[in-house]
Amino acid sequence: MSVTIKSAREIELMRAAGKILAKVHQNLGHEIKPGMSTWDINRLGDEMIRDYGCVPNFLDYQGYPASVCVSVNEEVVHGIPSKKRILEEGDIVSLDMGLIYKGYHSDAARTHGVGEISKEAADLIARTKQSFFEGIRFAKAGNHLYDISAAIGDYAESFGYGVVYDLVGHGIGTHLHEAPEIPNYRQPRRGIRLKSGMTLAIEPMINAGTADVLWLDDEWTVVSKDRSLSAHYENTVLITDKEPEILTLTEEEAEDGICNS
Ligand code: MF3
Ligand code: CO
């Protein structure tokens, strides 16, 4: 499939899908506490998405059994929520979720600390988030896709982190996963030229240790091979002729003065 360019009408729907997901992420983030199970998080997230009249797009995607991917500590992505997995003070937890609004998908991820966390963990979360912002400095019509990839990877690697190379970001629109694939590290070529109206889910996954990952026997959960901590930060982004529009930025993040410059 080639990369789709969204019309003005489609962009409005993507904006709405993104805005709702940002609200759900913000609200769900505030619910995270020691003692709750990863299933509790999934149930709350699922409920919030449906309360907005939207449909969770991860549920049943290629057989995935939940609406929110909940990945704790060394789990990189696609952790399966479980009533038996109880969050403890000091854990870090990545929440990845998406929804469909009037046929259009949004997708975003955030990593949260559970109660007080170590400086090592807090740094990993903050730098993973910053790697996304380093990347989207280049997310502008006329630039090349892998300019984004290189900026993300170079920034994360400057701290000695392992940039997960087995998983990538993606185009998004009427499908959760559209072309192109978006790696999070430097590529030998520059990739496709970005055009106004492209919508991309850019999602660095960064390990505190080495980049290698493996899949657990549940066939979903991806963990760092050395079992080091891993963080994830993802937004659905609209490419324009000027600065990119981050469709899933939360109001709190916007108030924090997060910007692309
Ligand atoms: N945000 C995830 C991704 O883009 C979606 C998870 S796929 C699911 O890869 F099956 F877990 F839903
Ligand atoms: Co995604």
Side-chain angles (χ1 to χ4, degrees):
M1 196 173 75
S2 57
V3 182
T4 57
I5 304 293
K6 274 72 181 176
S7 67
R9 173 192 151 270
E10 290 182 294
I11 288 170
E12 276 312 311
L13 295 171
M14 291 293 296
R15 280 196 182 111
K19 200 167 193 168
I20 295 167
L21 184 58
K23 283 188 197 295
V24 173
H25 255 298
Q26 181 166 310
N27 293 338
L28 191 54
H30 287 299
E31 298 291 330
I32 305 300
K33 308 179 182 57
M36 74 195 298
S37 73
T38 56
W39 179 259
D40 293 332
I41 297 173
N42 172 67
R43 190 180 36 77
L44 284 170
D46 181 277
E47 233 169 67
M48 291 176 184
I49 290 170
R50 293 182 197 281
D51 280 348
Y52 281 104
C54 298
V55 176
N57 49 5
F58 290 10
L59 184 62
D60 291 330
Y61 181 84
Q62 294 181 1
Y64 185 76
S67 300
V68 186
C69 295
V70 187
S71 308
V72 184
N73 296 336
E74 76 281 3
E75 295 172 357
V76 179
V77 286
H78 304 168
I80 299 178
S82 160
K83 289 178 184 163
K84 290 189 205 140
R85 184 72 196 255
I86 308 298
L87 295 181
E88 292 173 20
E89 177 105 13
D91 285 342
I92 65 171
V93 61
S94 301
L95 309 184
D96 186 359
M97 59 185 159
L99 57 80
I100 311 173
Y101 173 77
K102 296 189 180 172
Y104 285 80
H105 291 251
S106 53
D107 182 6
R110 298 289 185 274
T111 301
H112 299 283
V114 181
E116 287 254 334
I117 59 172
S118 67
K119 179 171 188 308
E120 182 205 16
D123 284 347
L124 177 69
I125 293 172
R127 291 163 177 169
T128 298
K129 181 172 186 171
Q130 187 58 33
S131 74
F132 166 90
F133 287 95
E134 296 298 324
I136 64 160
R137 287 167 181 267
F138 297 90
K140 189 183 276 192
N143 284 349
H144 290 259
L145 182 66
Y146 298 156
D147 298 345
I148 301 173
S149 305
I152 292 171
D154 289 357
Y155 178 80
E157 282 171 2
S158 76
F159 300 100
Y161 293 149
V163 176
V164 175
Y165 47 76
D166 277 334
L167 297 150
V168 293
H170 49 94
I172 181 167
T174 54
H175 297 81
L176 172 59
H177 291 143
E178 298 186 355
E181 291 193 351
I182 310 173
N184 293 303
Y185 60 100
R186 190 170 278 280
Q187 302 294 303
R189 284 180 291 276
R190 293 186 74 193
I192 59 161
R193 194 183 284 271
L194 298 173
K195 293 191 184 134
S196 183
M198 288 180 176
T199 44
L200 307 175
I202 299 171
E203 50 177 319
M205 290 152 268
I206 310 290
N207 296 343
T210 68
D212 299 322
V213 297
L214 22 104
W215 272 255
L216 297 185
D217 287 339
D218 63 21
E219 291 183 0
W220 278 105
T221 312
V222 181
V223 298
S224 58
K225 193 173 171 196
D226 61 8
R227 301 303 201 266
S228 63
L229 293 178
S230 187
H232 187 195
Y233 186 83
E234 174 182 25
N235 283 305
T236 299
V237 173
L238 170 68
I239 302 297
T240 77
D241 293 325
K242 304 198 188 86
E243 297 306 313
E245 221 179 290
I246 307 172
L247 303 182
T248 49
L249 197 69
T250 69
E251 279 172 22
E252 284 172 359
E253 286 172 324
E255 282 163 16
D256 279 353
I258 284 175
C259 64
N260 316 319
S261 53

